[in-house]
Amino acid sequence: METTQNSRHPAQWAESASLLPQAARDLPAGRHEFHKRRLMAHIQQDIQVGGSAMTATPARPKTRRLRLPRPVVVLPVMALAAVGALVAGVALDGGGARSGGVATGPALTTPVGVTTTKGLPQLLDQASVAAGKETHSPVKPGQYVYIESEAANTFVKTVGNKSSLASFVLHRRQTWLSPDGTKGWLIDATVNKNSEGETLSLPDEEGNTPKAGVGHPSYEFLAQLTTDPDELLELIYKETKGQGNTPDQQAFDTIGALLTESYPPAELYSALFKAAAKIPGVVMVNDAQDAIGRRGVAVARLDETSGARQEWIFDKKTHVFLGERTVQVKTVFEYGVAVKPGTVRYTSAITKRSIVDGMRQPPARNS
């Protein structure tokens, strides 16, 4: 399945490129489509409604994604403009309902929680123990890792000459990925052209199959990683060198990505929390809430460049990972609109993580 695409003038490519972090190396030919799909899958880039301004009908609102501080895929400089030209456009009707069926509403907000380092080591240790107790059966060839979540995100919406913040309402997101990472499927109404979803399978349009890594992990890749926290963190710093706003923030963001839409073996899942405890600037937020309202305590880090704080939310009693959210804590302006403290840029709650025997197959009810 393909996603809705809109053509963009080359002058707009630079705007898209400036919203993305930069990496040090160029992108081999043929991998643009792969990275485009990953970017779209995680809603990392701005989208703008297509359509002619010459029509006599009322102007349609435009939507632009806010910059998200945790990109799942970081593109090299030379690839940014090319991908910017490929990113999908999504139209909203005058009432604010997206063509894919996800309505929009006022920007999501939350009180900005107070941070502390007191109790942080104990929390991460408890989260590590809880993760180690989870049952993660090996994923066999022919099976798929299935992850279901509820998510919502904030963007800049423009109607006529007036821009303001708005958010897609909470919606279900489903992903399937093969153990080697070469086959996959995504269903997310804010990304897909229709309800059937779209393929994430490789090789890409040029026949290339990118090598798995910490930025685009497969189950087989994760199963081979070291579970020593120091070695694991060293590897993450090495593989993400030159990406993100700072090395420490990128390392934290990368671990956050591995906690959500991937399926680490229990030993690695546990080691990730121990590795996170070694990153400078990590703090604890005593009161946080995931996308479906489950309250908990969060492990967080502020990106000083974006002014946004990524929060990993855990159940206060069981210390099981619930989901994540990104909260603005410093005022910034994007597309001329103030993004004030308390704005929830992105929120997600993991509701199902299991193994299934076929692509697009739902998990058993008791799994």
Side-chain angles (χ1 to χ4, degrees):
M1 284 295 174
E2 63 178 2
T3 54
T4 308
Q5 295 187 5
N6 69 313
S7 60
R8 302 183 68 186
H9 190 278
Q12 293 178 291
W13 299 354
E15 177 185 45
S16 294
S18 68
L19 301 184
L20 295 174
Q22 298 180 350
R25 59 187 183 277
D26 291 343
L27 185 69
R31 291 177 61 180
H32 298 95
E33 179 67 14
F34 168 78
H35 288 299
K36 184 203 74 171
R37 291 185 186 281
R38 296 293 185 178
L39 277 171
M40 291 175 57
H42 290 269
I43 319 175
Q44 299 300 320
Q45 191 166 6
D46 63 306
I47 60 173
Q48 183 171 346
V49 73
S52 172
M54 304 296 291
T55 61
T57 57
R60 290 180 173 223
K62 300 175 183 178
T63 68
R64 296 183 176 92
R65 302 290 185 189
L66 296 184
R67 280 172 274 181
L68 296 182
R70 181 182 62 77
V72 174
V73 176
V74 179
L75 297 188
V77 176
M78 296 298 291
L80 294 176
V83 174
L86 294 172
V87 170
V90 179
L92 304 178
D93 66 23
R98 187 186 180 282
S99 56
V102 178
T104 63
L108 297 169
T109 61
T110 186
V112 178
V114 177
T115 63
T116 181
T117 56
K118 184 179 180 180
L120 176 65
Q122 292 85 352
L123 172 60
L124 282 168
D125 184 63
Q126 290 165 331
S128 176
V129 172
K133 292 180 179 179
E134 291 194 19
T135 302
H136 281 201
S137 302
V139 187
K140 301 176 183 178
Q143 293 185 315
Y144 291 84
V145 173
Y146 172 82
I147 299 175
E148 182 177 318
S149 60
E150 295 288 326
N153 66 286
T154 299
F155 55 90
V156 174
K157 178 179 179 180
T158 301
V159 180
N161 295 321
K162 185 178 180 181
S163 296
S164 61
L165 293 182
S167 294
F168 284 121
V169 298
L170 197 66
H171 61 280
R172 186 169 66 164
R173 175 182 172 85
Q174 299 167 280
T175 63
W176 290 260
L177 197 64
S178 63
D180 63 2
T182 62
K183 297 180 181 179
W185 196 264
L186 166 70
I187 298 179
D188 184 332
T190 66
V191 176
N192 305 141
K193 183 177 179 180
N194 56 49
S195 59
E196 294 181 6
E198 67 174 40
T199 183
L200 296 176
S201 296
L202 301 171
D204 62 19
E205 59 189 10
E206 299 295 330
N208 297 308
T209 302
K211 185 179 179 181
V214 296
H216 42 93
S218 66
Y219 172 79
E220 291 179 356
F221 170 81
L222 295 175
Q224 296 176 6
L225 286 184
T226 176
T227 57
D228 179 275
D230 292 306
E231 294 178 0
L232 181 59
L233 187 58
E234 182 180 358
L235 174 67
I236 290 172
Y237 274 111
K238 181 179 179 180
E239 286 211 13
T240 60
K241 184 178 181 179
Q243 300 176 7
N245 292 325
T246 66
D248 292 333
Q249 186 62 43
Q250 185 61 35
F252 187 81
D253 293 346
T254 298
I255 292 176
L258 294 175
L259 296 177
T260 52
E261 288 193 341
S262 70
Y263 189 79
E267 296 82 2
L268 177 62
Y269 199 32
S270 177
L272 287 170
F273 294 114
K274 294 180 180 179
K278 300 176 181 294
I279 299 174
V282 177
V283 296
M284 187 171 72
V285 181
N286 285 320
D287 187 32
Q289 186 173 338
D290 73 2
I292 58 176
R294 296 178 297 192
R295 305 202 76 89
V297 60
V299 172
R301 193 178 194 282
L302 172 65
D303 185 335
E304 295 287 352
T305 303
S306 69
R309 187 171 72 199
Q310 184 187 349
E311 301 178 352
W312 308 337
I313 304 169
F314 301 88
D315 184 277
K316 287 186 177 181
K317 294 183 178 179
T318 65
H319 305 105
V320 169
F321 178 71
L322 301 177
E324 65 170 340
R325 67 179 182 180
T326 304
V327 179
Q328 194 69 30
V329 299
K330 297 181 180 179
T331 299
V332 296
F333 286 84
E334 299 196 3
Y335 301 105
V337 177
V339 186
K340 299 180 180 180
T343 301
V344 179
R345 287 175 170 259
Y346 179 77
T347 182
S348 171
I350 303 298
T351 55
K352 178 74 71 172
R353 194 192 308 256
S354 61
I355 301 170
V356 296
D357 292 327
M359 181 94 80
R360 302 173 65 184
Q361 174 181 315
R365 291 189 178 184
N366 60 352
S367 65

